[in-house]
Amino acid sequence: MKFKALIGTSVLAVAVATPAYAQGSGDTDAFGSEIVVTAQRQSERLQDVPIAVSAFSSEALEAQQIENSSDLQLTLPNITFTKTNFTSSSFTIRGIGDLCVGVTCDQATAIHLNGSPLFQTRLFETEFFDLERVEVLRGPQGTLFGRSATSGVVNVVTAKPRMGSFEAAVDAEYGNYDAIKVKGMVNIPLGDTFAARVAGVYVNRDGYTKNLFNDTRIDGRDLYSVRGSLRWEPTSDTVVDFMGSYFREKDDRLRIQKQRCQRDPTGVLGCLNNRRDAAATNGNSTLASIFASRELFAIQGLPTALALGSLYGTDFYHNAVVPEDARTVSTAFTPEYFTSELTFEGRIQHDFGGLSAQLSGSYQKIKVDSRNDYNLAVGDRSLYAGALNTLAFFAANGVPTGLPAPAPAFVPGSAAYFAPIAAALMPNGPAGQLCTSDTDPTGLGAYGGNRICSDQALQYDRSNQTGNAWSAELILNSDFDGMFNFLAGAIYARSNTTENSYYVNAFGLDYASGILGSFSTFAAGLPPAHLGQSFFRNNTSDFSLKSYGLFGEAYFEFNDRLKLTLGARYNNDRKYVQARSILLSSNGNLLVPYNQTGTIYDSPLAALFDADPFTTCTAASPVGAVGSAAGCEVFQERSVKFDKLTGRAVLDFKVTEDNLLYASYSRGYKSGGINPPLQASTGVRESFRPEQVDAFEIGSKNTFGGGALQLNLTAFYYKYKDLQLSRIVSRTAVNDNINADIWGAEVEAIIRPDPKMMVNIGFSYLQSKVKGDTFFSNTRDFGGGRSDAVIIKDITNASNCAVASTSGSVAGVNGYVNQVNALINAGAFAGNGVRGGAGLQGTSPFPADGGIASTGAYSICGILAAAAPTVGAAFGGVQVFSAGIPVNIKGNELPQAPNLKFSAGAQYRFDFASGMSLVPRFDIAYTGESYGSIFNGNVNKIKGYAQVNTQVQLNGDNDRWYVRAYVQNLFDSNSTTGLYVTDQSSGLFTNIFTLEPRRYGIGVGAKF
């Protein structure tokens, strides 16, 4: 649906629709100006708060079908939400989101539960239930709400126990996808000063996605959440609250909705740079294919008959089925999803008269574990038949000697080097099931008996995390007579991640691990062993955050109309991380005997192994246990500390009691972090700097006609320094810093022609630009848009590099690469450990519509760089860019920052003489175009999308019961909300994240 059509539909909705956000027959308006919020850490009327804040009562959440945090984006201006690649999400406010990727990154949007900060929370995954309200504060809120609130705050406030009355409520829904949702609440008074409240939600539905491979449905949900609350009011001045909650989900939910790729026929890139088609990456671009390729085996002097394929031949995904429909896939691996969160909170509030105090504390324990088909596609295992038959032959007989009789036909004892490979990966022979390593923390995988066997050659990933956090906060508020008051507070928080890993497992990696390892040990006369570990794992075994803050604000009320607020905060953060990234001995020699027990790091064949690319392994002995010599660390260990003084100043003026003007300045701060370890030293900084944003805002909050119109207007300008931005290097997300400017405006209105009718409208405009000359390499195009460059796929590690002419000669740079490849084929670099006979071909152009101006080739980046000063001179001079040719991103827009957003909703209450009422409601939201990457361009564009929700509810007398029929996403939009571009060694495919499909059903509820 086009934007103009949406505007027309919305205007029609405004003309015919009607208000009173509360569904019942009373006159209370859930969106009314009298709603009370704690946006300034004290209870205030929403319209009196000089901050761009939106709040939803429980009735408003139900009315607008806001069931979870993702739905908030459909109503609020300058808000977007998307799932991200590693069991996480990004809640973006005014163009500031979670562009930093990694365990040491802070969230840009601070998430609070009842005012207490949450770390690593799974709150975005559960359903809202039994809430008092949800507050969303736009703009930096670090002074009062914490260290990392550079974009804003989401504060979820749960319903508290009520004294003196028994209450209960139940709500049940049934809808398409066989969806069941049940919510309930019981409030129990226990004497005059004590009350308890118990609430919960249960959700179960079939999968949204059809799997063509086995004609099943996946991406279902099965979750529940329970919460218990206690309140004690020993005196009229004292309130004590305690809350405990538990959330759990276990199902086949997809972490990644779909993959897109403009297929690259050369295999050098895997996916091209112009479109996101319904196609699989070229498998010849992937690490699993390259490590098991004829070309790699040839340069290492191994029998090419054992190779799974050639990089110039038919690729593994040549016939993969990739449907256009975002909700249809073909996968041989059923996704697995598990998450849980345990939360406790306590709070004591006491009013001393002119001074009140609040002491609060919270504790969290989280776990999340997800596995997905890595490519969401089924490959062609028949291509492996020749290699598997050859392996079976070697396993049964050994290595052929090639000598005539009476010499032995096979090297005695050599079969022992290959029999373990066959037994682990194809236990029932070449035609039987193929086994892939399980995501095994010991690192032994299939060779330790930890495997998953299937008729298909599997490839899948796993993202898992466990951790805990706690915080304690003290706030003092004054309420003195006179012009001066203050707020002062202090907070201490600790967060600890005890496991954070990302795995990529593939049959081809296991196969290469065994073949390469066995030939290495066979040639060296060592016991049979494989290369460890046979799957990728980026592992953080310990991350700790220690943080404290001191904050305060002073309020000067010069008269009943003019007020000045001055605030300051001191932040202090300390971070420590212990991590490693291992794949096929990428950081050194790690040979693991096939009969190894314990872990791969216990191997007696771990020679000079070093998990830290920033240190030097100085062991003199070629063989020794990991960690047995100086510099040979099992983990990289790093620590950093940051501190910052921030603050804000606000001047607000009440034109009347119902009209407020304000102007503010605030400084936001988000601490820096530590980049994860890489599998090679690449010049990446060990840490990245903190973010800082200077935010200027003016606004107006107005209520006209005794509540007939509520109109809030805001305009803002941000100067962003050191915005944290991730990129992929050596199969790992690392983070850099850039500067940017952001500006925009917002409009929120509620129109009430009479108590039975209500219309809400929201509109926002946003612009964001990278400031200053800023050069980065575009992962999708390492040639940097240059025609005098060649993009290389390195056959020794599956990464890309670029070779560029220093004289601008297109023919020269192509001639240079062709010449070096010919020399590699001839064995000219045998002294570098590269045998001849690789059969490397020359450069070839990419398709004309691929968005790549350069040519491409398979080669070896290290040799190209070494030969450049000599061989390159004959071709006009060349330069090798190991990390790609940088391009200037000055002026580009920030990701997840749509220029336009528009929403409108309307409802009307028809009252009947019986006391019953009927309330129809209509909501529409449009989100404009944005980009999923800082490099912008067509391939990264996220098209604008609309969502329409509608419902009608019949309420009983005094709202004691109701029946509701609803439709969410009326036009079944599968619109994309976010993108993630994977690594070059995975083929540069794009993971996309989408809205939920159309859902409809009926609900019934009752209150007691």
Side-chain angles (χ1 to χ4, degrees), residues 53-94:
V53 55
S54 301
F56 300 86
S57 68
S58 59
E59 293 86 356
L61 295 170
E62 291 286 346
Q64 291 189 277
Q65 301 188 60
I66 299 173
E67 299 180 340
N68 49 51
S69 301
S70 173
D71 292 337
L72 290 171
Q73 68 177 319
L74 301 175
T75 298
L76 296 177
N78 277 327
I79 301 289
T80 62
F81 178 90
T82 183
K83 292 191 296 182
T84 53
N85 208 58
F86 306 105
T87 60
S88 58
S89 58
S90 177
F91 196 100
T92 301
I93 303 177
R94 293 177 173 175

Side-chain angles (χ1 to χ4, degrees), residues 563-910:
K563 179 180 176 182
L564 174 66
T565 300
L566 298 176
R569 184 185 187 98
Y570 173 74
N571 305 272
N572 187 289
D573 301 304
R574 294 175 181 267
K575 296 181 178 182
Y576 163 82
V577 68
Q578 183 182 78
R580 60 188 171 200
S581 182
I582 308 299
L583 170 64
L584 298 185
S585 301
S586 297
N587 290 345
N589 299 319
L590 182 53
L591 292 164
V592 183
Y594 289 107
N595 60 357
Q596 179 70 44
T597 59
T599 74
I600 58 173
Y601 309 107
D602 300 320
S603 169
L605 304 178
L608 307 186
F609 174 79
D610 183 10
D612 188 347
F614 296 102
T615 63
T616 301
C617 192
T618 59
S621 171
V623 178
V626 173
S628 63
C632 300
E633 295 93 352
V634 182
F635 289 95
Q636 171 185 296
E637 296 186 53
R638 292 288 180 272
S639 60
V640 290
K641 60 181 179 179
F642 307 96
D643 63 346
K644 191 72 174 179
L645 183 66
T646 62
R648 71 172 186 142
V650 185
L651 185 66
D652 63 89
F653 177 71
K654 282 190 174 183
V655 181
T656 73
E657 279 299 312
D658 294 324
N659 303 94
L660 176 73
L661 299 175
Y662 68 90
S664 70
Y665 162 79
S666 59
R667 171 165 288 182
Y669 156 81
K670 187 174 78 167
S671 68
I674 304 163
N675 277 320
L678 304 176
Q679 294 168 4
S681 182
T682 58
V684 171
R685 293 168 56 98
E686 291 187 37
S687 61
F688 48 92
R689 298 186 296 274
E691 292 183 356
Q692 176 180 300
V693 56
D694 289 314
F696 304 87
E697 181 173 315
I698 58 174
S700 174
K701 293 190 172 185
N702 306 277
T703 302
F704 301 103
L709 172 63
Q710 181 176 300
L711 179 65
N712 295 344
L713 309 171
T714 311
F716 57 91
Y717 174 73
Y718 292 173
K719 293 189 67 65
Y720 220 113
K721 181 180 179 182
D722 291 330
L723 172 70
Q724 295 160 5
L725 186 72
S726 73
R727 59 188 172 106
I728 295 291
V729 175
S730 187
R731 295 176 285 280
T732 303
V734 300
N735 297 285
D736 299 296
N737 300 91
I738 66 171
N739 297 333
D741 288 342
I742 305 171
W743 64 96
E746 299 158 351
V747 179
E748 291 182 286
I750 297 176
I751 307 168
R752 307 175 187 82
D754 66 61
K756 297 181 180 182
M757 182 177 182
M758 192 281 305
V759 177
N760 62 284
I761 298 175
F763 175 83
S764 61
Y765 171 79
L766 183 70
Q767 285 289 335
S768 61
K769 301 291 181 183
V770 175
K771 183 182 178 183
D773 291 327
T774 306
F775 292 87
F776 284 106
S777 299
N778 184 352
T779 303
R780 295 186 190 267
D781 179 11
F782 255 30
R786 291 173 57 173
S787 60
D788 63 333
V790 181
I791 301 174
I792 302 297
K793 172 66 74 172
D794 193 320
I795 66 169
T796 67
N797 58 24
S799 64
N800 290 123
C801 66
V803 184
S805 172
T806 57
S807 61
S809 173
V810 174
V813 71
N814 283 274
Y816 170 72
V817 173
N818 294 340
Q819 177 65 28
V820 171
N821 277 3
L823 292 172
I824 292 173
N825 293 336
F829 298 99
N832 298 77
V834 177
R835 308 279 185 92
L840 294 178
Q841 299 178 11
T843 62
S844 60
F846 295 102
D849 66 343
I852 305 292
S854 310
T855 55
Y858 290 99
S859 190
I860 302 174
C861 294
I863 288 179
L864 287 165
T870 54
V871 179
F875 294 91
V878 296
Q879 181 180 0
V880 177
F881 294 83
S882 61
I885 300 174
V887 296
N888 196 347
I889 61 172
K890 178 181 179 180
N892 284 12
E893 296 184 23
L894 297 180
Q896 300 172 32
N899 298 134
L900 294 173
K901 285 199 68 181
F902 173 80
S903 65
Q907 69 178 57
Y908 189 85
R909 189 183 73 247
F910 296 91

Side-chain angles (χ1 to χ4, degrees), residues 389-417:
N389 286 327
T390 304
L391 172 60
F393 177 83
F394 274 54
N397 302 287
V399 179
T401 63
L403 301 174
F410 301 95
V411 177
S414 61
Y417 286 82

